[in-house]
Amino acid sequence: MQKVRKAVIPAAGFGTRFLPFTKAVPKEMLPLVDIPTIEYIVREAIESGIEEVLIIINKEKECIRTHFGHNVVLEEFLASKNKTKELEIIKELPNKIKVEFTYQEEQLGLGHAVLCAYEFAKGEPFALLLGDDVYVGNKMPATKQLIAAYNQTASSILGTLEVPDSDVSKYGICKPLPNEKGTLLKLESVVEKPKLEEAPSNLAIGGRYILTPAIFDYLKTQTRGAGGEIQLTDAILRLMEKEAVYSLAIDGRRYDIGSKKGFLEATVDFALKRADLYADMRDIINERK
Ligand code: G1P
């Protein structure tokens, strides 16, 4: 069985839900305190044992590339001022992992974005992490949980969360085979953004996947689906005719950074987790009660 060593992070969307901020700055650079959200995603991949990361961007988003590379001028400046702590902060990640980039020329949908990773995957299974979903795993990072399930099944794994009826139409929804029980379930089908009355369950795909390279065969020929977009979920449904696909309930807290409420919740929680900010954030909250 091939190991999961690679991760793909699509980051080429327009971020229309966060306008006007996203007019000039990619939504992936929205900070949770002082770290861009996409850095949390890359760190989750590293902590899950991933060795190579590909970020899919567009021409307007070069600052994401800048963020993950060495900034020699800044490094020399900080060194000359003896700002060792700051120097460590900016050098740590580029020293730890080499992040590669590719461009999605047209925004044709998530399935189309993932197809841009074809060359990078080179026939290997890979983790797919969507930037809107930031996880704090209970015992281990979300992607590590999925890799463990892949190691057990040698199959594609869709990380899931349970959503209320009011939200099923916002997600890809899984239908497990009858009699499947527990947290790891073999799937019968998946459907992208169904109406409530057509939703087969409340198990929503939560922005984390392990995909076998066979997915590319289906992405190459995938026609447009929900919202007129080339949907990854539709290609996964076709993949199921050839290979088993499983869902795994992710054990952890998920923040939907794509929504303003999720972004604000994450900002508060991440500040509360920081020793240098805990007291200040508590004061801010208490003063407003
Ligand atoms: C995408 C996927 C969807 C998944 C969701 C998770 O949708 O297409 O299946 O449930 O991410 O966040 P989007 O939110 O990009 O519309």
Side-chain angles (χ1 to χ4, degrees):
M1 187 177 66
Q2 285 176 300
K3 255 185 82 183
V4 181
R5 301 186 312 109
K6 298 181 178 182
V8 173
I9 304 172
F14 286 121
T16 48
R17 285 192 287 178
F18 260 93
L19 283 168
F21 175 78
T22 45
K23 199 173 161 198
V25 184
K27 72 168 174 186
E28 293 78 9
M29 294 305 288
L30 272 167
L32 296 175
V33 186
D34 47 13
I35 298 175
T37 55
I38 194 160
E39 183 175 322
Y40 287 97
I41 308 288
V42 169
R43 286 184 185 276
E44 178 190 320
I46 297 171
E47 284 159 18
S48 302
I50 293 294
E51 295 161 17
E52 292 178 38
V53 172
L54 175 76
I55 302 181
I56 300 158
I57 55 171
N58 66 45
K59 295 256 155 35
E60 307 278 310
K61 292 188 162 188
E62 287 297 331
C63 68
I64 298 180
R65 187 193 281 264
T66 308
H67 183 74
F68 289 102
H70 278 288
N71 182 333
V72 179
V73 175
L74 183 57
E75 285 176 13
E76 283 174 3
F77 172 79
L78 293 173
S80 74
K81 301 278 178 202
N82 285 323
K83 289 187 178 282
T84 19
K85 199 173 128 237
E86 289 81 356
L87 190 58
E88 275 306 303
I89 289 173
I90 66 158
K91 280 170 75 174
E92 188 232 348
L93 206 52
N95 281 345
K96 213 177 231 176
I97 196 153
K98 184 172 171 291
V99 181
E100 292 177 42
F101 291 85
T102 194
Y103 295 93
Q104 185 187 14
E105 308 285 348
E106 282 177 287
Q107 316 306 304
L108 299 181
L110 180 60
H112 179 257
V114 175
L115 185 55
C116 298
Y118 175 69
E119 297 289 334
F120 169 79
K122 289 203 178 63
E124 291 184 33
F126 60 96
L128 175 68
L129 294 83
L130 306 189
D132 277 349
D133 305 278
V134 171
Y135 283 90
V136 179
N138 286 339
K139 293 192 197 83
M140 60 169 102
T143 296
K144 199 168 182 177
Q145 298 172 31
L146 266 62
I147 293 175
Y150 168 84
N151 290 341
Q152 216 178 308
T153 59
S155 300
S156 293
I157 312 284
L158 315 181
T160 57
L161 51 124
E162 279 215 36
V163 296
D165 284 356
S166 53
D167 284 353
V168 289
S169 63
K170 295 181 192 159
Y171 294 92
I173 301 290
C174 300
K175 179 178 188 185
L177 281 161
N179 302 324
E180 287 286 303
K181 295 220 158 40
T183 50
L184 181 63
L185 307 169
K186 199 169 180 179
L187 297 179
E188 182 177 310
S189 64
V190 273
V191 53
E192 181 67 14
K193 304 200 170 76
K195 290 192 189 118
L196 176 58
E197 49 281 16
E198 283 152 23
S201 76
N202 289 65
L203 278 185
I205 303 172
R208 294 291 183 277
Y209 311 70
I210 305 295
L211 295 168
T212 61
I215 193 67
F216 292 113
D217 298 340
Y218 300 96
L219 287 173
K220 279 177 191 160
T221 54
Q222 188 57 54
T223 51
R224 289 168 192 254
E229 296 187 354
I230 298 174
Q231 295 290 354
L232 174 63
T233 305
D234 294 345
I236 294 173
L237 178 65
R238 291 165 62 221
L239 174 67
M240 280 177 200
E241 288 165 24
K242 185 176 167 238
E243 294 181 358
V245 176
Y246 290 79
S247 68
L248 177 77
I250 297 173
D251 180 24
R253 171 80 159 92
R254 174 228 187 203
Y255 296 92
D256 176 11
I257 306 299
S259 80
K260 279 160 207 167
K261 187 175 177 213
F263 169 69
L264 293 171
E265 275 179 326
T267 303
V268 172
D269 281 359
F270 283 42
L272 288 173
K273 274 196 216 337
R274 289 256 301 250
D276 59 334
L277 293 171
Y278 177 83
D280 285 344
M281 193 44 134
R282 270 271 150 248
D283 287 348
I284 292 170
I285 294 166
N286 288 336
E287 281 160 14
R288 280 160 183 76
K289 270 185 184 157

